[in-house]
């Protein structure tokens, strides 16, 4: 091979390596549009531009007791009840997107049981500067709670670049109760 051909092969390889490198390091559309994580811990307020959220406790039970409703709700797995307080900052708002992502990457959505929306935090409108206490409810296996993360967003759709509160729920296995009582969400 002549020097010129060797130079052409070298330049071609350099261009190919540069293309592959650019392709691997260029953000995808999903990377650009996914929600922005706002990390927190249990017991401390997590602040976003639109609301503050504090996770107070995590309870797990085989059955769920909803106020003024009978019978107790049964689950094929368990009910994970996350007790929390939420304060809207600028204007009235709702929280519609509640999920728990287990350590193995499986995501469980907020429970959608009859009557639950009247008592949990997804069913109330948060007034600015007035903390509301209540619970979020997710159905998932109890053995998936250790290492899981609570994910909370204001909207469930069109949430590109919106803040997403992420609160690790701890590495300990919570005590399994027979029945978890759900208190009605209220202003504090």
């Amino acid at each position: 091979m002549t020097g010129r051909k060797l130079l052409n092969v070298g330049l071609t390889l350099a261009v190919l390596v540069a293309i592959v490198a650019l392709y691997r390091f260029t953000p995808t559309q999903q990377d650009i549009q996914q929600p922005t994580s706002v990390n927190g811990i249990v017991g401390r307020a997590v602040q976003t531009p639109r609301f503050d959220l504090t996770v107070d406790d995590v309870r797990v039970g085989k059955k769920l007791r909803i106020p003024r409703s009978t019978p107790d709700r049964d689950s094929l797995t368990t009910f994970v009840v996350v007790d929390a307080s939420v304060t809207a900052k600028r204007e009235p708002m709702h929280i519609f997107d509640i999920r728990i992502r287990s350590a193995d990457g499986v995501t469980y959505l907020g429970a959608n049981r009859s009557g639950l929306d009247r008592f949990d935090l997804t069913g109330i409108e948060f007034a600015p500067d007035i903390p509301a206490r209540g619970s979020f409810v997710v159905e998932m296996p109890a053995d998936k709670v250790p290492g899981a993360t609570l994910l909370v967003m204001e909207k469930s759709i069109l949430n590109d670049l919106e803040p997403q509160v992420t609160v690790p729920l701890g590495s300990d296995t919570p005590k399994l109760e027979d029945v978890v009582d759900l208190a009605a969400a209220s202003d504090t």
Side-chain angles (χ1 to χ4, degrees):
M1 247 200 231
T2 66
R4 182 138 175 96
K5 285 185 180 180
L6 191 56
L7 180 64
N8 285 341
V9 168
L11 288 175
T12 302
L13 286 175
V15 168
L16 288 174
V17 167
I19 289 172
V20 169
L22 282 173
Y23 179 76
R24 289 193 183 251
F25 293 113
T26 302
T28 65
Q29 191 70 17
Q30 183 179 0
D31 293 335
I32 294 169
Q33 292 180 329
Q34 68 185 359
T36 304
S37 287
V38 181
N39 300 321
I41 61 172
V42 173
R44 289 205 183 143
V46 181
Q47 298 179 345
T48 73
R50 301 242 323 127
F51 65 95
D52 294 346
L53 178 127
T54 304
V55 173
D56 298 314
D57 194 17
V58 178
R59 300 176 290 146
V60 179
K62 297 176 184 178
K63 293 185 177 193
L64 180 68
R65 182 169 295 142
I66 298 174
R68 299 186 296 276
S69 177
T70 56
D72 295 340
R73 305 302 195 274
D74 291 316
S75 175
L76 295 175
T77 60
T78 54
F79 291 100
V80 177
V81 177
V82 178
D83 298 321
S85 62
V86 177
T87 305
K89 287 190 173 178
R90 295 183 284 198
E91 59 192 15
M93 59 166 282
H94 290 86
I95 290 183
F96 292 111
D97 192 357
I98 304 301
R99 302 164 188 253
I100 294 179
R101 184 179 56 231
S102 63
D104 62 3
V106 177
T107 301
Y108 299 89
L109 301 177
N112 186 16
R113 293 298 189 106
S114 143
L116 187 59
D117 61 336
R118 294 187 316 251
F119 295 100
D120 74 349
L121 286 171
T122 60
I124 68 169
E125 180 177 67
F126 302 102
D129 299 322
I130 301 174
R133 295 189 49 74
S135 303
F136 298 115
V137 181
V138 176
E139 288 184 65
M140 64 185 286
D143 63 344
K144 300 285 186 176
V145 175
T149 303
L150 175 70
L151 307 170
V152 179
M153 290 184 62
E154 179 184 359
K155 301 181 286 185
S156 57
I157 60 171
L158 300 174
N159 50 22
D160 301 349
L161 299 175
E162 290 291 319
Q164 179 180 51
V165 173
T166 60
V167 179
L169 299 179
S171 58
D172 297 335
T173 303
K175 178 185 168 208
L176 184 62
E177 303 173 27
D178 287 331
V179 179
V180 177
D181 287 313
L182 183 68
S186 64
D187 299 342
T188 54

